[in-house]
Amino acid sequence: MAIESTKLEAVTRKEFGKGASRRMRRDGNTPAVLYGHGEEPQHMGINSHDVFLATKGNANALVTVCLEGEDHLALVKDIQRNPLTRNIEHIDLLRVKRDEKVEVEVPVEVVGEPESGLIYTIDVLNVLVMAPAIDIPETIVADVEGLGDGERVTVADLKHADDVEVLLPADEIIVSVILPEVEASEEEADAEDEAKAEESAAE
């Protein structure tokens, strides 16, 4: 099902430089640039709270930017944050068309539980996919339900819509199921205790 885009009202940016950017942020707007499809980049400011809401929990947010009375469908491609406050300082927006596919990174979501006593480790946190611009999945699912020690989930095992293609080799390992090291250590300790007990009994 196609995702509805979030509407963002924008104003054309006329001043540039660090000082101008600081003033813009102080006034409650986030500097942004809209580019792609061979058109000239457009520099703008967008309400900072609206930007926060549009990108919260979604690295590939689909937005409609309203600039000078014209709507532009776009994907959030890059978010620059202040390293201390984590506030958004700048965003890059890529023009897209409703009928095109785009390359984006999507996080891996692990579902299910492996066999009792086992854990899983995620080898690849995000996967590069080709997906419809208006229907980018929030996650790509790796199912570990019932897997045993040493079993793995590869790219070929990932679950996603038919119109989404993972751009990684089919045999690349995404998730591995293993025996926890702590439990292994405990088993070794138990074995040592048993050996000592047998030695004491033999004496």
Side-chain angles (χ1 to χ4, degrees):
M1 185 174 68
I3 299 170
E4 288 300 317
S5 61
T6 300
K7 207 155 193 176
L8 298 175
E9 297 290 339
V11 294
T12 299
R13 185 177 177 185
K14 298 175 181 178
E15 294 183 302
F16 298 92
K18 291 184 178 179
S21 294
R22 281 195 295 268
R23 286 192 296 274
M24 178 174 282
R25 286 190 284 269
R26 190 169 59 241
D27 292 339
N29 291 312
T30 297
V33 61
L34 176 68
Y35 65 94
H37 282 296
E39 296 184 38
E40 285 293 319
Q42 291 176 278
H43 299 271
M44 63 194 73
I46 305 173
N47 180 274
S48 298
H49 184 62
D50 291 344
V51 169
F52 169 76
L53 292 178
T55 59
K56 184 179 180 182
N58 186 359
N60 300 307
L62 182 70
V63 299
T64 296
V65 179
C66 304
L67 180 67
E68 305 294 342
E70 187 177 356
D71 287 351
H72 306 268
L73 191 65
L75 280 178
V76 175
K77 288 300 290 182
D78 186 58
I79 300 175
Q80 297 172 25
R81 297 181 184 272
N82 182 294
L84 297 178
T85 65
R86 302 305 296 162
N87 290 334
I88 297 174
E89 294 197 331
H90 189 278
I91 61 170
D92 289 355
L93 302 167
L94 175 67
R95 292 186 184 90
V96 295
K97 295 178 181 178
R98 299 190 72 85
D99 59 351
E100 76 173 309
K101 286 191 172 185
V102 292
E103 286 188 13
V104 291
E105 281 200 341
V106 177
V108 172
E109 177 188 7
V110 180
V111 300
E113 294 291 337
E115 290 181 359
S116 179
L118 302 179
I119 62 171
Y120 62 80
T121 61
I122 303 177
D123 297 272
V124 179
L125 295 173
N126 299 282
V127 293
L128 184 66
V129 306
M130 180 73 77
I134 61 171
D135 198 12
I136 295 173
E138 292 187 8
T139 61
I140 296 293
V141 173
D143 189 353
V144 299
E145 183 64 35
L147 295 188
D149 184 23
E151 291 193 273
R152 298 160 173 173
V153 177
T154 65
V155 167
D157 302 317
L158 294 174
K159 296 183 178 180
H160 50 77
D162 292 339
D163 56 3
V164 174
E165 177 188 0
V166 180
L167 303 178
L168 293 173
D171 60 353
E172 183 158 345
I173 298 167
I174 304 299
V175 180
S176 301
V177 173
I178 59 172
L179 185 69
E181 291 184 6
V182 174
E183 289 192 12
S185 299
E186 288 176 354
E187 288 177 1
E188 291 172 3
D190 290 342
E192 289 180 6
D193 290 342
E194 288 179 8
K196 288 179 181 177
E198 290 175 358
E199 287 177 7
S200 297
E203 292 175 358

